[in-house]
Amino acid sequence: MLRLANKRSGFSRQTVLLVIAMISGMLAMAAIRPQQLRCEYRINPLGIDAGAPRLSWTCRSAERNQIQSAYEIIVSDSRHNVENYVGNSWSTGKLNGGQSLNIPYAGKSLQSFTRYYWRVRTWDQDGKASAWSEVNWFETAMLAPADWTAQWISDGSERPVQDSDYYKPDRMPLFRKSFQSGKVIQSARLYITGMGYFEAYINGKKLGDNLLDPGFTSVKKQVLYTVHDASQLVKRGNNTIAVMLGNGWWNPLPFKFFGRWDLRDFQQTGRPCLKAELRIRYIDGSIQTIATDANWLTAPGPITRNSVYTGEYYDANLEQRHWSDNNFDGSQWQPAKKTDGPAGRLMPQMQPPIRVTKTINPVRVYEWKPGIFIADMGQNFAGVASIRVKGPRGTTISLRYGETLLADGAVNLLTTAATQIKKGFIANGPGMPENMFQEDRYTLSGTGTENWHPRFTFHGFRYVEISGWPGIPTIDDIRGLRMNSDMASVGQFSCSDSNLNKLHDVIQWTFLSNVFSVQSDCPGREKMGYGADIAVTAGAYMYNYDMSQFYRKTITDFANDQQPDGGITEIAPFTGIADRSYGGYSGPLGWELVFPALQEQLYERYADKQLLVEQYPALQKHLAFLQSKAIDHLFYWDISDHEAIDTKPEALSASCFYYHCLRSGARIAGWLGKSKDSTAYAKEAQTVKRAIVQKYHVTGTGRFDNATQSAQCFALWYGLTPDTLQSLDVLFKELERHQWHVSTGIFSTKMLFDILR
């Protein structure tokens, strides 16, 4: 029992009454409270360009069956204001409703380069208010293109005239700019992009732990830039900002994918170039900007070759010590040249950055043949190898990568050769190596122990073949750096069956090996964002990881490369591959499916209605294209159920994919309140469904088309069959005929799990 204290206790009556009031308020507090605040699906995003960013939170309660009945948001450009419950930028007041996802900011116009603080409180179903949440923030970057003052710069070099010359040594440029900072710094931000990849330093320290920035996009439409907090790196007095560039996807080798398509024919490309500005805000409110222009200096660096597909060569003897800090004489460097750069709109990179997410120790390193060693990482993954070595100057170490071993014990380099270009399979072109294997090389400087890993490439591998090593490498001399887009984990799985737990673990390794700003089918030979691979696995990815911004980029990638007639490409960013096309460079139906189906899933999982609004014109154009290509409401060719063992039900699957696109379109139009469109798409979908049944259902048997496992799965999953039990019986007989093994492909395997659950 609380007893009112007298003066001798040291507490006044008023103080005790205040304590009682506080305790009473706590006891009367809401049963729910807001947490996990997000802006544009991210926690405290450092750089956004949305004029009306969306705010979200979740509600937590120790009690069951609780709901949010109301909420209040406050936003201010002053943390002090928000901490004192004042929203001078936006204050909603109490708003009734249970909405807690994607509430658009609707306050005063946001200003570029400004940090805004916000918090929220909620009311439970009984009308009791929660405490205010923790203070979160978001920071705007360039809200308009005119906010940029930086220019694109390069080292002035020209692209080779002959394709064969691309395979000769090509030293990547370094850039630097020294400047003075004379006042007390409040904050510093670096806004930067480099084509194709970049690493940035201030006073010799690398900014952040991102790798392979910026993410792969169709740069004629969209170029991503990164925002780094440089507040702790910029100092009063002398400073230096420095950048190293790589080729990335912007300056690719001119080989033809699978011997047929040259990426440079379909994407804007060029020599490595840089655009960056460092914006320093001082305590007195003044701003200093250091932006790329012709006053920056450039020189060739130690990376002599680099390719996303074939690897990186690095000569430590070409390093210029202290090139990225103040202890350097840059008098021999040349002025940078202004250049045009890519044509696309500059936008902040919102998808999760690529990082090293795990360091892997080899299980053994052994000598396979004299002078040739093999490091077994014990696990297949995507990334690069890191080495620690000591040896004579000029010694060159070769690291070649593979996923398996051949019968004679050699590393199998063939399965990860760039788009299958290898001796006896797909011929090479002018100047190309006979085999487009994954290989990194490091040439020693001879100055003590040297540590190195490639910066501007990535590989898929378990085994590393090592040659040229001075002496005998040990398990302490090599590491595997697993790299991937660093999505937050949101799901876990475990059960009493150790085999299923192991399978789940293996799947996660596979998932993470295929997310490098685009979701690929493999991280070795192709590295491209195939629509069908995404369509069939997106649900599984979203159960395990926060894919909200990653897949938002995916949809944007496909929209950026949508064809003039409305067709969606097989791959995005588009690289030229258009198998089983329906005209121009559109993809096959199962690969075009990703555009409507993934939008549908993103809305169901993340309530991303804004994405639907943004992409609705492109969706309409896409569905109109498909309707114009249908023959009596059906389609007849497709890649179909890719990787199925039995004969694929090509025409059936093509028509089913068309039906799926229309069905997704009807739902999306309905969510957007476009009832006329929704009704029209739904009506056409039902017409297509009837046409499929009429053409491919064998009356009275439960069989569809060729009645393979694939065909039966399509019929059952899409709800086509008039007799589910009969069609299931046909499926079971097919499974039995295969001795209870599956012959399904990438689509029907997923369908089979859904059907049999």
Side-chain angles (χ1 to χ4, degrees):
M1 181 176 179
L2 184 64
R3 179 170 55 87
L4 293 182
N6 58 27
K7 292 183 179 179
R8 294 179 64 185
S9 69
F11 294 99
S12 70
R13 179 183 179 88
Q14 288 78 9
T15 301
V16 175
L17 289 174
L18 179 61
V19 172
I20 293 173
M22 291 174 60
I23 294 173
S24 299
M26 292 172 63
L27 294 174
M29 194 169 291
I32 60 174
R33 65 179 186 274
Q35 60 174 20
Q36 295 183 321
L37 275 62
R38 299 286 193 277
C39 173
E40 291 297 317
Y41 295 101
R42 294 174 57 180
I43 301 172
N44 299 334
L46 186 60
I48 62 173
D49 66 353
R54 296 164 297 164
L55 307 178
S56 304
W57 61 88
T58 62
C59 290
R60 182 179 180 86
S61 176
E63 301 179 16
R64 292 181 178 273
N65 301 318
Q66 290 294 321
I67 62 170
Q68 172 189 300
S69 64
Y71 65 89
E72 180 178 7
I73 302 170
I74 55 174
V75 182
S76 174
D77 58 3
S78 161
R79 186 181 186 98
H80 176 77
N81 280 347
V82 172
E83 287 177 340
N84 287 278
Y85 318 112
V86 176
N88 67 318
S89 298
W90 188 37
S91 180
T92 65
K94 181 181 178 182
L95 296 176
N96 293 327
Q99 185 178 0
S100 62
L101 292 175
N102 294 329
I103 298 169
Y105 172 86
K108 295 179 183 178
S109 295
L110 299 179
Q111 303 300 307
S112 297
F113 312 118
T114 304
R115 177 168 291 191
Y116 292 89
Y117 301 87
W118 70 286
R119 67 197 315 185
V120 62
R121 63 172 171 169
T122 56
W123 281 259
D124 67 13
Q125 61 197 26
D126 298 319
K128 297 175 183 176
S130 72
W132 285 94
S133 70
E134 295 294 321
V135 176
N136 275 40
W137 53 263
F138 60 87
E139 189 169 303
T140 55
M142 287 78 168
L143 293 180
D147 290 330
W148 281 94
T149 61
Q151 301 173 348
W152 284 104
I153 60 172
S154 74
D155 64 356
S157 61
E158 300 291 334
R159 287 195 282 186
V161 175
Q162 302 294 328
D163 281 358
S164 58
D165 291 337
Y166 276 85
Y167 298 91
K168 295 178 180 178
D170 179 17
R171 293 175 66 181
M172 288 293 98
L174 307 175
F175 297 88
R176 58 179 277 118
K177 173 71 174 179
S178 295
F179 63 94
Q180 290 284 322
S181 174
K183 294 184 285 188
V184 179
I185 296 167
Q186 179 179 329
S187 64
R189 302 286 183 266
L190 178 65
Y191 306 88
I192 180 169
T193 187
M195 296 282 103
Y197 292 140
F198 71 87
E199 278 195 358
Y201 304 81
I202 291 181
N203 297 328
K205 301 290 181 63
K206 182 177 180 294
L207 279 93
D209 54 3
N210 295 13
L211 300 170
L212 304 182
D213 270 351
F216 183 22
T217 60
S218 179
V219 295
K220 60 190 173 186
K221 294 285 188 68
Q222 179 188 37
V223 179
L224 302 179
Y225 66 89
T226 306
V227 184
H228 288 288
D229 185 348
S231 304
Q232 301 303 311
L233 297 181
V234 179
K235 60 185 181 180
R236 294 185 69 172
N238 296 327
N239 292 271
T240 297
I241 178 173
V243 181
M244 174 187 294
L245 295 184
N247 287 321
W249 298 91
W250 165 250
N251 188 35
L253 293 173
F255 68 90
K256 294 183 181 296
F257 292 166
F258 302 102
R260 298 171 62 187
W261 302 280
D262 186 339
L263 171 64
R264 298 178 306 159
D265 293 335
F266 303 97
Q267 291 290 344
Q268 184 184 9
T269 59
R271 289 295 296 169
C273 55
L274 170 67
K275 188 170 187 174
E277 57 186 83
L278 178 66
R279 196 170 192 273
I280 305 170
R281 184 187 301 273
Y282 293 103
I283 292 293
D284 64 6
S286 61
I287 303 294
Q288 181 183 7
T289 301
I290 297 91
T292 48
D293 57 22
N295 294 313
W296 283 51
L297 299 176
T298 184
I303 295 177
T304 60
R305 299 185 191 184
N306 72 108
S307 164
V308 170
Y309 283 98
T310 58
E312 180 175 311
Y313 293 8
Y314 188 101
D315 188 343
N317 299 288
L318 300 176
E319 291 178 343
Q320 300 188 54
R321 295 192 66 187
H322 304 297
W323 73 276
S324 62
D325 62 29
N326 291 309
N327 301 315
F328 183 77
D329 178 7
S331 60
Q332 301 302 309
W333 286 39
Q334 301 300 311
K337 304 294 184 181
K338 182 181 176 181
T339 189
D340 290 334
R345 178 188 169 190
L346 283 161
M347 302 179 71
Q349 181 166 282
M350 297 297 288
Q351 83 274 8
I354 298 166
R355 295 187 173 105
V356 173
T357 56
K358 192 176 183 65
T359 300
I360 300 167
N361 299 324
V363 294
R364 64 175 183 146
V365 177
Y366 59 96
E367 191 168 24
W368 173 62
K369 284 185 176 180
I372 300 178
F373 302 88
I374 294 175
D376 178 1
M377 296 297 168
Q379 171 67 53
N380 198 317
F381 63 98
V384 295
S386 171
I387 60 173
R388 184 188 67 177
V389 61
K390 186 175 183 179
R393 175 185 174 92
T395 302
T396 296
I397 298 168
S398 168
L399 308 172
R400 300 201 299 176
Y401 300 82
E403 296 176 320
T404 61
L405 299 177
L406 297 172
D408 64 355
V411 175
N412 183 357
L413 307 170
L414 300 172
T415 62
T416 54
T419 69
Q420 303 284 33
I421 297 173
K422 52 197 175 189
K423 184 178 180 180
F425 195 74
I426 295 177
N428 60 346
M432 293 170 56
E434 190 173 45
N435 297 299
M436 294 283 281
F437 293 149
Q438 301 181 89
E439 181 181 16
D440 299 325
R441 292 184 185 176
Y442 179 73
T443 301
L444 279 67
S445 66
T447 55
T449 300
E450 302 176 48
N451 296 278
W452 177 79
H453 65 79
R455 288 173 169 82
F456 299 135
T457 191
F458 64 98
H459 311 294
F461 66 103
R462 171 177 169 172
Y463 299 95
V464 185
E465 178 198 273
I466 306 167
S467 59
W469 193 278
I472 299 175
T474 71
I475 60 172
D476 295 323
D477 295 325
I478 186 167
R479 293 288 183 268
L481 305 180
R482 186 185 74 178
M483 298 158 55
N484 56 267
S485 293
D486 193 13
M487 299 98 56
S489 178
V490 297
Q492 296 178 332
F493 171 84
S494 64
C495 69
S496 58
D497 189 322
S498 60
N499 288 326
L500 289 178
N501 291 335
K502 178 63 176 176
L503 177 61
H504 178 74
D505 185 53
V506 169
I507 290 169
Q508 302 315 304
W509 281 92
T510 302
F511 278 179
L512 295 179
S513 290
N514 284 286
V515 280
F516 280 73
S517 87
V518 299
Q519 183 187 324
S520 65
D521 70 321
C522 63
R525 66 178 180 270
E526 296 183 45
K527 305 176 187 270
M528 291 176 267
Y530 286 93
D533 299 73
I534 300 166
V536 298
T537 59
Y541 267 101
M542 286 188 276
Y543 271 121
N544 288 279
Y545 304 100
D546 179 357
M547 304 297 293
S548 53
Q549 285 290 358
F550 187 98
Y551 278 151
R552 190 172 229 279
K553 175 187 177 294
T554 299
I555 292 297
T556 304
D557 288 339
F558 279 98
N560 283 341
D561 280 319
Q562 185 175 26
Q563 297 300 290
D565 59 6
I568 296 297
T569 54
E570 180 175 339
I571 294 169
F574 186 49
T575 58
I577 299 174
D579 284 344
R580 311 295 284 164
S581 172
Y582 279 87
Y585 291 110
S586 66
L589 261 295
W591 279 245
E592 293 196 50
L593 173 63
V594 69
F595 192 62
L598 184 56
Q599 290 185 63
E600 182 182 19
Q601 290 188 69
L602 285 173
Y603 182 72
E604 289 178 324
R605 296 295 181 93
Y606 305 117
D608 196 347
K609 191 172 184 177
Q610 185 185 83
L611 176 67
L612 304 186
V613 173
E614 292 170 357
Q615 299 298 342
Y616 192 69
L619 177 67
Q620 287 180 298
K621 191 175 180 180
H622 178 224
L623 295 179
F625 165 77
L626 295 181
Q627 288 175 297
S628 73
K629 298 297 181 180
I631 303 171
D632 295 329
H633 308 288
L634 298 175
F635 282 79
Y636 289 91
W637 63 86
D638 188 53
I639 292 178
S640 189
D641 196 18
H642 187 47
E643 302 295 349
I645 296 173
D646 291 331
T647 302
K648 300 175 184 66
E650 185 175 343
L652 169 64
S653 66
S655 295
C656 286
F657 295 140
Y658 177 43
Y659 168 64
H660 194 154
C661 288
L662 289 166
R663 193 177 66 180
S664 295
R667 297 190 73 197
I668 290 169
W671 290 329
L672 295 179
K674 300 179 182 297
S675 57
K676 184 177 179 180
D677 289 352
S678 181
T679 299
Y681 291 141
K683 183 178 179 181
E684 177 61 14
Q686 288 305 307
T687 301
V688 171
K689 183 176 181 179
R690 287 193 296 270
I692 294 172
V693 174
Q694 183 177 354
K695 187 170 186 66
Y696 297 106
H697 177 235
V698 182
T699 305
T701 66
R703 295 168 61 90
F704 270 77
D705 198 40
N706 61 5
T708 58
Q709 290 179 28
S710 293
Q712 295 304 115
C713 283
F714 271 81
L716 287 160
W717 197 80
Y718 281 110
L720 304 174
T721 175
D723 190 334
T724 301
L725 292 178
Q726 229 177 3
S727 294
L728 272 172
D729 186 57
V730 175
L731 174 59
F732 289 144
K733 286 178 179 177
E734 275 297 293
L735 288 165
E736 185 177 19
R737 186 173 71 84
H738 285 276
Q739 297 180 329
W740 301 104
H741 290 83
V742 295
S743 63
T744 47
I746 64 172
F747 287 97
S748 60
T749 299
K750 172 193 168 6
M751 294 172 179
L752 184 63
F753 281 104
D754 293 337
I755 291 164
L756 299 181
R757 65 182 177 183

